Amino acid sequence: MSPVKSKWRGGSSVSLTVLFMLAVIIAVGVFLRGQAFLSTEVVEPLQAEAAESYALAQTLGSQGAYQVLAAPFDNSSEEVAASEVFGSLGYPLFLSLFATPEATASSLNAVVITQMVLGALAILLVFILATRLMDPHWGLITAFLTAVSPFLVNVSLYLIGATLLLVTLLLYLISTTRLGERGALIRAFLAAALLGVVALVDPTYQFLVLPWLLVLFFTVRKGASKILIPVAAVLGFALIFGPWMARNQNVIDAPIAAAPIAASIQQGMPSADADETASGQDTETPSLLAALGRLGGALINDPRWYFVEKPQTLWSVGQPASAEQSLVYPVSETPYAENPLFLTSEEFMRILHGPLLLIGAIGVILVWLPFAGRRLTPSQRIGLRSISLVLIYATLTHLFGVAQSHDAAPLLPLLFVMALTPLYVITSPRLEAAAPKTAQEPESEPQLETDAT
C-alpha cells in the first residue's frame, strides 16, 4: 500500500498504518472519556468558576449575545460581578449554546458531551502539531499520551474552559508551524487571529501576543518582512480581540479589565497574607498597582511560595499524579477508583509524570539555543519556540496569580511535545548551511530567518 503523499522534513510520510494507529488512539481516548462520563458522579458540578461561567451564560442566553456586547450588565446583579463580565466572554458564550434558565441535568450533560468531542479533536490536533514539527511517529506518541492522561480525561467532565482552551491553543500553535513557508504574512495574520480567540476563551492569555510579537521580530530575517510580519500579526489579533478591548474602553474606561488580574494576584498571595486579607475590614479587590506592589513584596519575603510551592501545585511536582489531583471538584463515583483499565492508565501516567516534566523543561529551554537551531528548519523553530513561549508564559502568570492543578491540564499536550523535542533534536542531522537559499525560498517572499540563531 502506498503511503499518503504528505511529506515532512526528513522525508517521512503519513502511511495507512500510522493513520490506523491514530484512529485506534482516538478510539481509546473517546472510550475513556465516554466511560468517565457515564461512571463519574460530580457532587456539585456548578462551583466556583464553573458557577460563574454558567451564570453568565444564562444571562447571555436570556438577553442575547448581541445585546450583552452592546450594553453593560446590571451592576446590581448578584449572579456575576461586573469585573468578571469584562474579563472574558469566550467560554460563557460557548456555554450559552446549552444553558437554560434553570440548570438541568440534560443541559449540563450536553456541555460535557460536547467537551468530550472537543477532547477527541484535541487528540487529532496534537498529532497534527507534533507531526508538522517532527514526524508522524512522534505525533502518535503525543496523541497517545493526550488520549490516556487522567487530567485530560477528567477535565472535560466539568463546566470549566480547560477543554475549549486546549483546542484553541492547539489551533493557534498549528498555525505557527507554517510561518517559515511561503505566504508568511497571511499565515502570521491567521495565527494571531487564533491567538485572539485564545485570549477571549481565557483572559490569562490576553498578553501572550506581546512576547510572541518579539519572537516574530527577532526570528524574521532582516528587511521589510522583519516589520511586515509582526504588523500582520498585530492586525490579526486586533481583528478578533480588538472589539472586546474597545467594548471595555467604552464601558469601564480601560481596554483590559484589571480587576480580575488584581484579584488573581491577591488570591495567589502566601497563606499568611491571604489570612490577613480575609480577616481585615477591607475585603474589596485592590487596584492593579496595589496588587502588583504587594506581589513585589511577597516575592522578596516568601520566594519559596512562588518558586517552589506554587509550581508543585500547578504541575503536581513531588507527588503522584493521582485521580484526586486530576479531579477539579469532588466526586462520589469515579472509574479511577476501581476500574482496571482506568487504574492502569493512571499508573502509567503517574510513572511517566516526573520524567516528562523534567525532559519537557529541558525542551522548553533547548529550542532557544543555537544547538537546536542548527538542526531545525525555520518553521520548526518558530513552532517549537511558540509552544515553549506558551508554557513559560502560562506558568509565570499562574505562579504570580492563582495556581491550581487543573490550570495546567490544557498545557499537558504541549508539555508532551516539548518532552519529545530533546530526543528529536539530538537524533536530527545538522542542516546544511546552504539550505536556506533554495528554489523554494525566493528572496522576494517574506520568510523567517534560516540561520541557527
Side-chain angles (χ1 to χ4, degrees):
M1 293 185 182
S2 60
V4 177
K5 295 181 179 179
S6 182
K7 300 290 185 179
W8 280 263
R9 197 200 98 172
S12 60
S13 60
V14 178
S15 65
L16 292 179
T17 302
V18 170
L19 292 177
F20 174 76
M21 294 178 66
L22 175 63
V24 171
I25 290 172
I26 293 176
V28 170
V30 172
F31 175 79
L32 291 175
R33 285 155 178 78
Q35 287 298 308
F37 168 68
L38 296 173
S39 305
T40 301
E41 184 68 31
V42 181
V43 175
E44 187 179 348
L46 293 179
Q47 300 182 48
E49 61 181 294
E52 294 173 356
S53 296
Y54 196 84
L56 183 51
Q58 289 175 313
T59 305
L60 289 168
S62 61
Q63 294 188 11
Y66 177 80
Q67 294 179 0
V68 167
L69 290 174
F73 289 99
D74 180 8
N75 291 336
S76 64
S77 173
E78 297 180 357
E79 290 185 348
V80 60
S83 62
E84 293 294 333
V85 169
F86 297 103
S88 174
L89 265 190
Y91 188 62
L93 277 173
F94 168 77
L95 289 181
S96 68
L97 301 174
F98 313 93
T100 55
E102 295 293 333
T104 61
S106 60
S107 65
L108 300 184
N109 288 340
V111 177
V112 174
I113 292 173
T114 304
Q115 292 184 160
M116 287 168 49
V117 174
L118 292 176
L121 175 61
I123 300 172
L124 173 61
L125 292 177
V126 76
F127 169 80
I128 295 174
L129 177 64
T131 300
R132 283 190 173 187
L133 294 172
M134 301 177 213
D135 64 48
H137 299 94
W138 300 102
L140 288 175
I141 296 175
T142 57
F144 177 73
L145 294 176
T146 301
V148 302
S149 169
F151 279 95
L152 296 173
V153 170
N154 283 327
V155 77
S156 63
L157 302 176
Y158 300 95
L159 273 67
I160 58 176
T163 303
L164 185 61
L165 174 62
L166 169 59
V167 171
T168 54
L169 272 175
L170 288 173
L171 289 173
Y172 153 65
L173 290 169
I174 287 173
S175 67
T176 67
T177 61
R178 290 291 188 259
L179 286 177
E181 301 177 2
R182 298 174 66 90
L185 291 177
I186 297 178
R187 295 178 188 277
F189 179 89
L190 294 176
L194 288 169
L195 181 54
V197 176
V198 172
L200 285 177
V201 171
D202 190 330
T204 303
Y205 297 86
Q206 290 177 352
F207 300 101
L208 177 59
V209 66
L210 299 178
W212 188 62
L213 288 174
L214 291 177
V215 172
L216 289 181
F217 179 80
F218 288 107
T219 306
V220 174
R221 288 189 299 182
K222 295 180 180 179
S225 60
K226 194 174 187 68
I227 301 298
L228 293 177
I229 290 179
V231 168
V234 170
L235 293 176
F237 185 82
L239 174 68
I240 301 299
F241 198 71
W244 185 240
M245 296 176 66
R247 175 64 197 142
N248 283 349
Q249 183 65 51
N250 182 52
V251 175
I252 61 176
D253 296 324
I256 299 294
I261 301 174
S264 179
I265 293 175
Q266 179 172 289
Q267 295 170 17
M269 291 289 177
S271 55
D273 291 351
D275 293 340
E276 292 177 5
T277 302
S279 61
Q281 295 181 353
D282 185 9
T283 58
E284 295 183 0
T285 301
S287 66
L288 181 58
L289 290 178
L292 290 174
R294 293 190 60 197
L295 173 63
L299 286 172
I300 297 174
N301 296 330
D302 196 353
R304 177 180 173 81
W305 169 260
Y306 288 95
F307 300 110
V308 177
E309 296 180 13
K310 293 185 81 172
Q312 289 179 340
T313 300
L314 181 65
W315 290 105
S316 304
V317 181
Q319 44 189 314
S322 62
E324 288 75 14
Q325 289 179 311
S326 65
L327 297 171
V328 181
Y329 301 139
V331 300
S332 57
E333 294 181 25
T334 174
Y336 285 97
E338 55 186 16
N339 188 297
L341 177 62
F342 283 82
L343 290 172
T344 301
S345 65
E346 178 191 345
E347 180 66 15
F348 174 73
M349 293 304 296
R350 185 193 69 80
I351 294 173
L352 290 182
H353 182 71
L356 285 173
L357 197 62
L358 176 61
I359 303 175
I362 295 174
V364 165
I365 299 172
L366 179 65
V367 295
W368 302 94
L369 302 180
F371 169 78
R374 289 190 290 267
R375 287 167 169 78
L376 299 173
T377 66
S379 293
Q380 288 175 314
R381 282 202 295 274
I382 191 63
L384 290 171
R385 288 174 181 178
S386 296
I387 297 175
S388 173
L389 181 64
V390 170
L391 290 171
I392 294 172
Y393 173 90
T395 300
L396 289 177
T397 52
H398 283 295
L399 293 190
F400 296 149
V402 177
Q404 298 173 325
S405 58
H406 69 265
D407 292 328
L411 305 174
L412 286 177
L414 312 186
L415 177 68
F416 300 154
V417 176
M418 283 289 99
L420 295 178
T421 299
L423 303 177
Y424 175 78
V425 170
I426 292 174
T427 57
S428 296
R430 177 172 175 172
L431 295 176
E432 294 295 333
K437 297 183 179 180
T438 61
Q440 287 82 12
E441 295 187 35
E443 290 296 329
S444 59
E445 182 73 23
Q447 299 286 332
L448 297 184
E449 69 172 5
T450 54
D451 58 28
T453 57

